[in-house]
């Protein structure tokens, strides 16, 4: 065999005709499309069933959370009453015992209210609103709050000793800003 020759298929048969090759490719494409369609139908059925399961679980979860709240509150009341009775047995007056229990409960309530307000602040979509403002779609952000767009509002006292962890909206803003070109229109 010389340099430029290629070995043919065994048996001396030549390559199949072009129309037969194209027909084979078209049939393979149709089969692939059919398999993709079947996969998407199965995925849609799976997502639908998963959402139905999640909807059912949400309802039951809320019902059991209600039961837990009721019994947890009654257990807390009983524990507080037992603590007051124990302090009274140790020699404190009823007034002092009830006052200590009330101050303790008020302190826990204040702590919980403060932390709740901090977590609700995270629901303000600050990074998204800041990015929309930079794109010119939501200009009220800076005017509404009267703060600088580069400084996200938030909780810096997270117990890390003056070295706060970056907030999610600040990280998202820096990633988005680094990934998008300047939004200034050409002049």
């Amino acid at each position: 065999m010389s340099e430029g020759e290629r070995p043919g298929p065994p048996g001396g048969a030549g390559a199949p005709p072009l129309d037969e090759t194209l027909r084979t490719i078209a049939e393979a494409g149709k089969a692939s499309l059919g398999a993709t369609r079947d996969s998407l139908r199965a995925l849609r059925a799976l997502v639908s069933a998963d959402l139905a399961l999640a909807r059912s679980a949400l309802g039951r979860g809320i019902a059991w959370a209600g039961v837990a709240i009721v019994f947890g509150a009654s257990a807390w009341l009983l524990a507080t009453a037992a603590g007051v009775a124990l302090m009274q047995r140790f020699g404190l007056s009823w007034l002092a015992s009830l006052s200590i229990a009330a101050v303790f409960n008020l302190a826990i309530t204040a702590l919980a209210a403060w932390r709740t307000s901090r977590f609700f602040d995270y629901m303000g979509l600050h990074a998204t609103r800041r990015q929309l403002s930079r794109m010119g779609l939501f200009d009220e952000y800076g005017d509404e709050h009267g703060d600088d767009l580069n400084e996200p509002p938030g909780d810096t006292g997270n117990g890390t000793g003056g070295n706060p962890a970056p907030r999610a909206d600040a990280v998202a803003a820096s990633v988005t800003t680094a990934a998008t070109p300047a939004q200034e229109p050409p002049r």
Side-chain angles (χ1 to χ4, degrees):
M1 193 180 285
S2 66
E3 276 183 44
E5 293 182 28
R6 293 186 180 170
L18 182 61
D19 60 339
E20 184 179 326
T21 303
L22 290 176
R23 196 173 308 116
T24 305
I25 291 173
E27 289 173 4
K30 287 178 186 178
S32 175
L33 184 62
T36 302
R37 191 177 323 119
D38 292 343
S39 295
L40 289 176
R41 283 184 186 146
L43 181 62
R44 189 184 78 189
L46 176 66
V47 168
S48 177
D50 217 10
L51 287 175
L53 180 63
R55 198 172 37 247
S56 173
L58 177 67
R60 291 177 183 178
I62 289 172
W64 279 107
V67 170
I69 288 170
V70 167
F71 280 91
S74 63
W76 180 257
L77 290 173
L78 289 172
T80 302
V84 167
L86 188 63
M87 286 187 278
Q88 198 274 332
R89 183 176 288 271
F90 285 144
L92 291 173
S93 69
W94 280 104
L95 181 62
S97 299
L98 288 172
S99 296
I100 290 172
V103 166
F104 177 73
N105 283 324
L106 286 174
I108 296 296
T109 301
L111 175 69
W114 174 68
R115 292 308 299 163
T116 300
S117 71
R118 299 303 332 153
F119 285 119
F120 279 142
D121 183 44
Y122 294 145
M123 292 175 21
L125 301 174
H126 300 294
T128 301
R129 291 168 60 190
R130 192 170 39 258
Q131 291 304 314
L132 289 174
S133 176
R134 286 181 181 158
M135 292 171 32
L137 299 175
F138 191 71
D139 291 330
E140 296 86 27
Y141 182 78
D143 298 336
E144 179 181 335
H145 297 293
D147 52 1
D148 187 18
L149 292 177
N150 294 328
E151 296 178 17
D155 177 18
T156 58
N158 59 2
T160 58
N163 194 8
R167 293 219 4 207
D169 59 350
V171 172
S174 67
V175 169
T176 306
T177 304
T180 56
Q183 297 296 328
E184 292 292 321
R187 296 186 198 254

